Amino acid sequence: MGGAAVLALVAVLGGCSEPPRPGPSVSTPTSASPRPTPESPSPPASTTARPSTAPPTTGGLPGFVVLTDVDRRIHADIRYATAHNFVGRPIAGYREPLCLLTRQAAEALRRVQDAALAGGHSLKVYDCYRPQPAVDDFVAWSKRPGEQQTKAEFYPDLAKDRLFADGYIGAPTAHSRGSTLDLTLVDEPPAGQPAYVPGQRLVPCTAPPGRRFADNSVDMGTGFDCFDSRAHSDDTRITGAARDNRQLLRRLMTAAGFVNYDREWWHYSLRDEPHPRTYFAAPVARSSLG
């Protein structure tokens, strides 16, 4: 694929599974304000900043924290540090299975956890800050059509070459700005969760609970990172307890200042994020904290 084609591909990337074009340290915003991708929703009316296409710079993550240092009650299952994700192996840039966030996002999430616990639930995060090397890894993977080891679970009814165009994965991504995360609710105390074994028989993420991967999440209608329209937050085919659970998560997150990406029930961004024009590339590791 030529350089122009690659740039065109990156321009359309959007969605939770793909991060925005971050920089390890703070990048200098450009004067241009590109149209946000679905993965990087437009800032709400309370802010005017828009994502920048400025190239990432080198450095650490100023003002970021490890979520468990702020609230140890929140559970974590950092999928991109493992083989249990839509690529089928650990993703570049995930050196440690940590949830890194800006302090503002982490403090807001602690308030969500307080509210969730009052109703007998707890939060569980799947992904938080996502570095530029992970974006590059996703883009490179997208150009290798033969690599579809986990299609049967994560995108059983969608062609791989539609994942970017349909907004399920993309670059740049709001995750790289440090105030966006993927999460769910679990009962408190949470049920046990079997370990994922690479090579095990895969079941579609759209299968009923009890048949799909036994994540200890409450029923949300699909599994995490399910590239299917049934994962859209308000898909009308999701009814009963699963719909109630999605609405509960959205109420809790909205009350603390987060905004949902409507194509992914699990994806939320802090409304008043501290780095609306900055993308970072430092790895997911405690040593990256500024």
Side-chain angles (χ1 to χ4, degrees), residues 192-278:
Q193 176 174 305
Y196 171 78
V197 180
Q200 70 182 56
R201 177 177 173 271
L202 301 179
V203 177
C205 55
T206 54
R211 287 189 51 208
R212 62 179 181 257
F213 178 74
D215 188 312
N216 60 1
S217 169
V218 301
D219 183 17
M220 290 290 189
T222 74
F224 164 64
D225 255 3
C226 188
F227 303 146
D228 187 279
S229 59
R230 280 166 283 197
H232 294 185
S233 302
D234 293 315
D235 189 274
T236 57
R237 290 167 293 179
I238 305 302
T239 60
R243 186 170 187 82
D244 291 344
N245 289 333
R246 289 186 184 188
Q247 292 176 343
L248 172 60
L249 178 61
R250 183 157 55 189
R251 286 197 303 272
L252 293 171
M253 294 295 285
T254 300
F258 290 91
V259 179
N260 176 237
Y261 170 48
D262 63 5
R263 292 194 180 193
E264 298 171 341
W265 59 258
W266 54 82
H267 178 108
Y268 285 83
S269 297
L270 186 66
R271 180 183 298 273
D272 294 317
E273 61 182 294
H275 302 297
R277 294 176 179 266
T278 303

Side-chain angles (χ1 to χ4, degrees), residues 141-195:
W141 171 82
S142 75
K143 294 183 285 185
R144 296 192 290 265
E147 295 186 14
Q148 301 196 50
Q149 297 94 320
T150 61
K151 174 178 171 59
E153 178 175 356
F154 293 97
Y155 51 107
D157 301 317
L158 189 67
K160 180 179 177 179
D161 62 7
R162 296 298 307 170
L163 295 179
F164 285 105
D166 289 359
Y168 290 108
I169 54 179
T173 178
H175 279 278
S176 296
R177 303 199 297 264
S179 296
T180 290
L181 68 156
D182 301 333
L183 79 170
T184 189
L185 292 169
V186 297
D187 291 326
E188 187 59 42
Q193 176 174 305

